[in-house]
Amino acid sequence: MKAAVLHEVNKPLVIEDVSLQKPGPREVLIRTTVAGLCHSDLHFMEGLYPHPLPAVLGHESAGVVEQVGSEVTYVKPGDHVVTCLSVFCGTCDNCSTGRPVLCTDTTVKMLPGVSNRLSWARSEKLNQFLNLSSFAEQMLVHENAIVKIRKDMPLELAALIGCGVVTGYGAVVNTAKVAPGETVVVIGCGGVGMAAINGAQIAGAGRVIAVDTNPAKLQLATKLGATDIVDPRNGDVVQQVRDLTNGGVHHSFEVLGRKETAEQAFAMLAPGGTTTIVGMIPFGQKIELHGFDFLRERKIQGSSMGSNHFRVDMPRLVEFYMRGKLHLDDWISARLKLPEINEGFAAMKAGKTVRSVIVFDA
């Protein structure tokens, strides 16, 4: 099969011939239909997060089951599935207490550097990425890394649910548990930020403030549920939000993964408010907060993949789309072929896209 291989950080991905093993027990072979370009992939491409190389990146995807290994009971060939990097075992302490997104059982999670599933045609091993590696024509994954969906759901839109949508929506609904009528601000209107905005609307937030410097993204945010927009170029972004809300918001969501915006998100809170960090702040970087603010019961927390229970959350998100509540049709900025993948990441880095997707030939 063809796959996009990362050999060195800050170098273009290279399209190469790659081999996969046959499915082992509890493994599923998927024909990749669509793979989204996520900013998380770019973090690894730029070396902001470490990962053994060479590797096949990609983790936001949907496809069709081709083969199943022994002991697989969840899916069969022909099923339509969405992948999720939050593969779970179902029996560890975290899974058993309702936090499968934090599963650390290595019997289902292939650790970086020990993958035996991918290799070049010349038999040298490649590293699998986040248990998926979806920048490839096929994926070999554990059955607990996928969810079945209804076949009338367009796969190119379903792929978005696999990471960006469940992360943004889940941060609002699962991690922060936004209540009807509460005020929300979302800093960063890329794919994940748009999902958080749309999720806040679905959750019944009374006011949803979108923060970005891109006018086109701010305009789309209003279509997805933002009641107010703030452009940091128009002045102190914290003060703008405080002026809009008479002193601060109940919930702020930082989706860019930057030190400055994380600190701004905390500064926007009303007493008792909560900041949820969704973006991937570069590995090793610290953020600074005013200690006094904690005396007014302000809180800051992280969110991993939207604290998802993906086999429950993703089918519900599909239903939200089918009923017109989740506006995925507006998200896709470009449909690309695999050889165009580097152009897609260049457009992402320039801030020109909400989401670009790789569409593989059927």
Side-chain angles (χ1 to χ4, degrees):
M1 66 174 181
K2 298 290 185 184
V5 181
L6 178 65
H7 291 274
E8 300 179 58
V9 297
N10 292 310
K11 297 289 186 181
L13 301 176
V14 181
I15 309 303
E16 300 193 37
D17 290 317
V18 170
S19 299
L20 275 176
Q21 293 183 332
K22 295 292 185 182
R26 302 202 70 188
E27 290 187 330
V28 178
L29 181 67
I30 300 166
R31 172 65 61 178
T32 314
T33 302
V34 178
L37 305 191
C38 179
H39 210 281
S40 301
D41 297 301
L42 187 60
H43 280 312
F44 286 93
M45 291 168 63
E46 295 181 335
L48 298 179
Y49 277 74
H51 194 279
L53 300 177
V56 177
L57 302 184
H59 62 280
E60 181 180 85
S61 47
V64 180
V65 174
E66 285 199 330
Q67 296 179 32
V68 299
S70 63
E71 302 179 26
V72 172
T73 59
Y74 177 62
V75 292
K76 63 184 184 304
D79 284 343
H80 288 198
V81 295
V82 176
T83 64
C84 186
L85 63 88
S86 303
V87 57
F88 61 93
C89 71
T91 58
C92 71
D93 287 353
N94 282 328
C95 287
S96 298
T97 53
R99 306 178 80 187
V101 73
L102 298 180
C103 175
T104 56
D105 188 342
T106 55
T107 63
V108 296
K109 290 181 181 291
M110 184 64 68
L111 296 177
V114 298
S115 175
N116 61 359
R117 293 167 175 160
L118 285 162
S119 65
W120 279 308
R122 53 183 181 270
S123 297
E124 297 176 43
K125 289 184 179 179
L126 290 167
N127 291 284
Q128 193 174 31
F129 182 65
L130 302 179
N131 305 286
L132 297 174
S133 289
S134 56
F135 293 157
E137 293 174 330
Q138 292 175 305
M139 293 175 282
L140 182 62
V141 303
H142 192 281
E143 68 171 326
N144 284 0
I146 56 178
V147 58
K148 289 186 292 188
I149 60 168
R150 51 193 284 183
K151 289 186 176 181
D152 56 346
M153 175 68 184
L155 284 173
E156 68 175 24
L157 301 179
L160 305 180
I161 292 174
C163 177
V165 175
V166 78
T167 297
Y169 167 88
V172 170
V173 175
N174 297 329
T175 312
K177 295 180 171 58
V178 170
E182 290 187 322
T183 52
V184 167
V185 61
V186 176
I187 303 177
C189 295
V192 177
M194 293 297 187
I197 290 166
N198 205 162
Q201 182 193 50
I202 292 172
R207 199 162 189 178
V208 182
I209 304 166
V211 179
D212 205 285
T213 58
N214 186 320
K217 290 182 178 180
L218 289 173
Q219 183 177 8
L220 177 56
T222 61
K223 183 176 181 180
L224 300 184
T227 58
D228 302 270
I229 58 175
V230 168
D231 187 335
R233 297 174 300 181
N234 293 334
D236 183 338
V237 65
V238 174
Q239 193 58 51
Q240 288 188 69
V241 171
R242 285 186 167 278
D243 289 343
L244 282 170
T245 56
N246 295 318
V249 296
H250 295 104
H251 294 278
S252 61
F253 296 88
E254 198 284 340
V255 192
L256 294 174
R258 297 177 183 170
K259 168 183 166 63
E260 178 186 9
T261 48
E263 293 166 355
Q264 289 171 343
F266 190 72
M268 294 173 183
L269 294 177
T274 301
T275 291
T276 302
I277 304 297
V278 186
M280 293 175 65
I281 296 172
F283 190 81
Q285 191 169 75
K286 302 182 187 303
I287 62 174
E288 300 174 87
L289 305 173
H290 292 290
F292 172 79
D293 288 339
F294 289 99
L295 297 178
R296 299 296 290 158
E297 298 195 358
R298 295 178 177 90
K299 297 174 284 294
I300 187 167
Q301 63 183 352
S303 178
S304 176
M305 285 293 292
S307 306
N308 72 73
H309 306 82
F310 74 84
R311 284 196 176 166
V312 175
D313 292 339
M314 290 187 186
R316 289 180 179 176
L317 288 163
V318 168
E319 294 303 317
F320 284 144
Y321 169 75
M322 300 300 276
R323 299 206 307 267
K325 293 186 175 183
L326 187 64
H327 307 290
L328 300 179
D329 293 295
D330 300 301
W331 289 30
I332 297 180
S333 306
R335 293 167 175 83
L336 309 171
K337 295 298 183 183
L338 187 60
E340 300 172 309
I341 191 168
N342 291 306
E343 299 168 29
F345 277 113
M348 174 195 294
K349 193 170 182 179
K352 297 178 180 178
T353 60
V354 175
R355 226 21 161 221
S356 297
V357 296
I358 301 299
V359 180
F360 293 86
D361 293 331

